[in-house]
Amino acid sequence: MIGTAIKNREAELNTFRNRVLVAGIFILIAFGALASRMFYMQVIKRDYFHNLAEANRISLVPLVPNRGIITDRNGVVLAANYSAYTLRVTPSKVKDLDAAFDALAGIVDIQPRDRRRFKRLLEDSKNFESLPLRNRLNDEEIARFAVNRFRFPGFEISAGLFRNYPFGEVASHAIGHIGRINDADLKRIEANGLTIKYKGTDHIGKLGIEGSYESELHGTTGSEQVEIDSGGRAIRSLAKSESIAGNNLTLTLDIKLQKIAEAAFGDFRGGLAAIDPNTGEVLALVSKPGFDPNLFVDGIDPQNWDLLNNSPDKPLLNRVLRGAYSPGSTLKPFLALAALESGKRTPSQSIRDPGYFGLPGVAHRWRDDKEGGHGVVDMHKSIVESCDTYYYQLASETDIDKTAEFLSLLGFGAKSGIDIGGEMEGILPSRAWKEKQHARGLADSPKWHQGESISTGIGQGQNSYTPMQLAHAVAAIANDGVAYRPHLVRNVVNAGTGLVRNVSDQPAAYPATRLPIKIENIAVIKAALVGVTTEPGGTGFRPFAKAGYISGGKTGTTQLFNLKGEKYKEGAVSHRLRDHSWYIAYAPADKPIIALAVLAENAGFGSATAAPIARAVMDYYLLGKVPDPKKPIATPNEPKNGD
């Protein structure tokens, strides 16, 4: 028994020693592996982990450049920047956004519109992106948030630059607006290799000058190396690469003229384009109603977006460039000029107007606006008194393709080339156009009928042009057949060096085009256009009585409602089916410095509404006269002397 017990102890001791040996070997291996790993990390990979540590200690912060300032031709600021503080939220770091907003409301004023706008931005952004909740915080709000910051992980206050449009709706369609960068913008930025340039930038130009001249206005992003603490807060700046501010733009617009032009429309919808015929500079570009571009800077909230987007008045539509309308009688001077050029008519050749026109074998009669007709009518009188019958007959004798070919010389049916986007071509009817319409299923027949020519002969039918096209065409006539491309930017000013680059002086950008039209024929048309405003029978005589200057002009009225042979009565027609009012003009007649086209939607006769608007604009530009704000400019009642 005693020997067996001793034997067992020795066996247990050997087992224990073996276990200790195995454990020792395991410990040595473990410590060896640990030592090897430490050697690998601290010696072999030292530089790599040192750089990682530095990256955690040092943050590379993008320095967003100042956006270029936009001014009018006289130096009045139309778009500027100001610095302010923004409360931003990173959604991925907040468990319950609504609860956090409720808790924050007692510290910072959070309005329902701020929440709506934030949710709209969140729908268009990624969850980990920092988004603005409230902009332009005051000092008291900043102080209160700083004390309570620990309660709101994912919330931070940052300084930034904001765009401001001091004139609000005035010239909104010309200036445009900026907005937050969306996915489509990001794709375009990446495709153009501009990712670094836009690093840290939240906004980009969307419309008008802001959009078309984005490359000039944006500038170049800089960067700053900042040492940060464990909480991510900056301690000190280590190095900095300054951003380069965007270039400033001087526009051709005269903001005082623009304000008077917009006010002249009163409650009417419509558009106006005023051009210097000697340079192509756009002096005023009006689209009524407009919109407040400041609404888009922070990201427009759904309520305001719905009001703008769904309004029957379409305030977001740029009527000057995208509104295509039948030109009515404003097309007659250009059709008369085409007849002179082709030899279809001479200035003295006349017709007898019985008050209607008919084709042999056709029962339908095309009626003149003057009952009983205008009597004996030559070309001069046809323009001065706006005789429809003269142009019915002319159109019946003229090939539509020849007419289209001539009108295309003056820019009809084509983009004017103005330096902001979104322009429409309109419709210049021809046989080829009709065939395309038929191929698309939009016309019953590919054949062009003579009756269609007669309707187009007074600016109705398929004719469809923008106010800018009419302004561009009358400017070319005013300048004796020399046309300039319309443009809104006069010069670009380098914000750093002050170097001025005159856009208007670049022949390659805005060449003078001499149209292949005889000067003597243009003179005939200009004399008739002057007669419109100076002769008692002229359709523009009353609106321009005692003007203090002589101008050339032409009224126009576009019919929207099919009268079916009945006499037009404005009060019996729904408001939005009433006639459109047109007027084209230039002044002074002997040496024009302004040419314009005015369209007032559903405003009746051209001489009653559009012509007085044009008169107010030219009175200010030529004489410095400011209209009486208490006295309405447009009086849409039926005049005695035509359209």
Side-chain angles (χ1 to χ4, degrees):
M1 293 293 293
I2 295 172
T4 302
I6 292 172
K7 250 182 189 181
N8 288 340
R9 282 196 208 97
E10 289 178 356
E12 290 173 359
L13 185 61
N14 287 333
T15 300
F16 175 75
R17 287 172 179 167
N18 290 336
R19 289 175 178 174
V20 170
L21 180 62
V22 171
I25 293 171
F26 178 77
I27 291 170
L28 287 174
I29 292 172
F31 273 104
L34 182 62
S36 298
R37 183 62 178 170
M38 291 177 66
F39 178 81
Y40 173 79
M41 293 176 67
Q42 294 186 18
V43 178
I44 297 176
K45 298 290 288 183
R46 176 188 178 281
D47 292 340
Y48 171 76
F49 287 106
H50 175 75
N51 291 335
L52 283 181
E54 284 296 301
N56 288 331
R57 184 178 70 88
I58 300 172
S59 176
L60 192 63
V61 179
L63 299 178
V64 179
N66 287 348
R67 192 170 181 84
I69 295 171
I70 301 174
T71 66
D72 84 336
R73 67 192 297 120
N74 299 311
V76 179
V77 176
L78 306 179
N81 308 309
Y82 66 95
S83 59
Y85 287 93
T86 298
L87 178 61
R88 303 181 70 89
V89 185
T90 304
S92 61
K93 297 180 180 180
V94 183
K95 292 182 179 180
D96 189 335
L97 284 171
D98 288 329
F101 292 165
D102 291 339
L104 186 65
I107 299 170
V108 176
D109 183 20
I110 306 295
Q111 295 291 326
R113 66 175 178 272
D114 298 320
R115 295 193 184 203
R116 291 194 299 265
R117 183 173 58 244
F118 181 85
K119 289 181 179 179
R120 180 185 176 90
L121 293 174
L122 185 58
E123 291 173 359
D124 299 331
S125 306
K126 296 178 175 61
N127 200 40
F128 56 81
E129 290 181 352
S130 174
L131 301 174
L133 175 61
R134 248 290 310 281
N135 291 319
R136 296 182 287 276
L137 273 68
N138 58 43
D139 293 341
E140 184 179 345
E141 289 175 321
I142 293 170
R144 286 202 301 264
F145 178 80
V147 173
N148 292 275
R149 186 179 185 277
F150 69 95
R151 296 170 49 196
F152 301 99
F155 288 72
E156 62 178 352
I157 289 180
S158 62
L161 289 173
F162 294 90
R163 201 64 159 170
N164 179 53
Y165 303 97
F167 290 93
E169 289 191 11
V170 178
S172 55
H173 285 281
I175 300 168
H177 65 82
I178 65 169
R180 286 187 62 81
I181 294 174
N182 56 32
D183 289 340
D185 297 322
L186 280 174
K187 290 178 182 177
R188 188 167 59 252
I189 288 170
E190 291 170 359
N192 293 328
L194 300 173
T195 303
I196 295 176
K197 184 177 180 179
Y198 280 85
K199 190 72 173 176
T201 301
D202 291 331
H203 297 84
I204 194 170
K206 297 287 187 177
L207 294 175
I209 292 295
E210 291 277 29
S212 296
Y213 283 84
E214 170 66 18
S215 60
E216 296 282 1
L217 291 164
H218 179 266
T220 302
T221 301
S223 62
E224 182 179 16
Q225 286 186 337
V226 179
E227 186 176 1
I228 58 176
D229 61 15
S230 58
R233 287 180 287 269
I235 300 174
R236 61 192 176 101
S237 175
L238 302 177
K240 182 183 288 187
S241 173
E242 295 289 351
S243 61
I244 302 173
N247 294 330
N248 300 326
L249 301 181
T250 302
L251 304 189
T252 61
L253 292 178
D254 182 332
I255 197 62
K256 291 183 179 179
L257 180 70
Q258 178 81 23
K259 289 174 69 176
I260 284 172
E262 294 195 18
F265 275 83
D267 295 329
F268 287 112
R269 302 177 305 278
L272 176 149
I275 300 173
D276 183 341
N278 304 290
T279 62
E281 293 186 348
V282 178
L283 306 172
L285 190 149
V286 176
S287 181
K288 290 273 289 184
F291 60 90
D292 186 354
N294 292 297
L295 293 172
F296 293 87
V297 174
D298 298 340
I300 189 167
D301 66 274
Q303 185 176 5
N304 278 314
W305 172 250
D306 184 66
L307 288 173
L308 290 175
N309 198 42
N310 297 320
S311 169
D313 292 334
K314 299 181 180 179
L316 296 177
L317 171 66
N318 187 335
R319 286 166 162 82
V320 178
L321 302 183
R322 296 192 59 78
Y325 309 84
S326 295
S329 294
T330 58
L331 196 64
K332 290 175 181 176
F334 307 108
L335 295 173
L337 183 58
L340 290 173
E341 286 288 302
S342 66
K344 283 287 183 182
R345 291 287 186 276
T346 64
S348 60
Q349 189 175 347
S350 62
I351 66 161
R352 180 169 293 278
D353 172 24
Y356 61 87
F357 174 78
L359 288 171
V362 178
H364 177 75
R365 287 182 173 181
W366 287 267
R367 296 188 179 279
D368 192 279
D369 70 307
K370 185 177 181 180
E371 191 173 344
H374 295 261
V376 178
V377 181
D378 62 7
M379 182 173 286
H380 182 90
K381 186 177 179 180
S382 77
I383 294 173
V384 171
E385 297 187 11
S386 198
C387 175
D388 288 344
T389 306
Y390 183 94
Y391 292 93
Y392 290 145
Q393 183 170 323
L394 175 62
S396 72
E397 300 172 7
T398 306
D399 184 84
I400 187 63
D401 290 341
K402 294 293 185 181
T403 299
E405 182 181 354
F406 179 82
L407 291 179
S408 67
L409 294 176
L410 291 160
F412 290 102
K415 296 178 181 180
S416 69
I418 191 171
D419 51 346
I420 58 175
E423 189 174 13
M424 288 186 66
E425 293 182 348
I427 297 173
L428 177 59
S430 65
R431 286 186 177 84
W433 173 84
K434 182 76 179 293
E435 290 170 0
K436 289 180 181 178
Q437 292 298 101
H438 177 69
R440 294 168 59 190
L442 300 176
D444 294 335
S445 167
K447 185 179 179 181
W448 184 268
H449 302 286
Q450 192 174 17
E452 293 176 285
S453 292
I454 295 172
S455 295
T456 60
I458 60 166
Q460 297 278 170
Q462 306 299 339
N463 287 295
S464 184
Y465 310 119
T466 67
M468 178 56 72
Q469 288 173 325
L470 267 297
H472 182 44
V474 76
I477 297 300
N479 202 32
D480 292 330
V482 178
Y484 289 87
R485 183 158 70 93
H487 54 281
L488 279 160
V489 173
R490 173 177 271 191
N491 57 54
V492 179
V493 183
N494 188 294
T497 65
L499 183 67
V500 178
R501 187 170 79 250
N502 291 317
V503 176
S504 299
D505 293 343
Q506 297 179 32
Y510 303 110
T513 302
R514 177 164 289 283
L515 304 179
I517 303 173
K518 297 175 182 177
I519 295 294
E520 57 268 30
N521 289 337
I522 293 176
V524 171
I525 302 303
K526 291 176 73 173
L529 293 174
V530 170
V532 169
T533 64
T534 59
E535 297 178 19
T539 56
F541 178 73
R542 287 197 299 170
F544 282 86
K546 302 178 181 178
Y549 54 87
I550 297 176
S551 66
K554 182 68 191 79
T555 55
T557 306
T558 303
Q559 186 184 103
L560 302 181
F561 184 72
N562 189 350
L563 299 175
K564 297 180 180 179
E566 298 295 324
K567 185 175 176 63
Y568 176 78
K569 295 180 180 179
E570 184 177 283
V573 179
S574 171
H575 173 71
R576 292 186 184 274
L577 292 177
R578 294 175 186 173
D579 295 346
H580 290 334
S581 179
W582 275 102
Y583 195 73
I584 60 173
Y586 62 89
D590 58 339
K591 195 174 182 180
I593 59 174
I594 183 172
L596 55 80
V598 181
L599 167 79
E601 292 184 2
N602 311 120
F605 287 86
S607 57
T609 307
I613 292 172
R615 166 78 185 264
V617 171
M618 292 195 290
D619 277 0
Y620 174 77
Y621 193 70
L622 299 175
L623 307 176
K625 291 174 62 176
V626 178
D628 183 353
K630 297 180 181 179
K631 187 177 180 181
I633 291 171
T635 54
N637 55 344
E638 187 172 337
K640 296 179 181 178
N641 55 341
D643 61 5

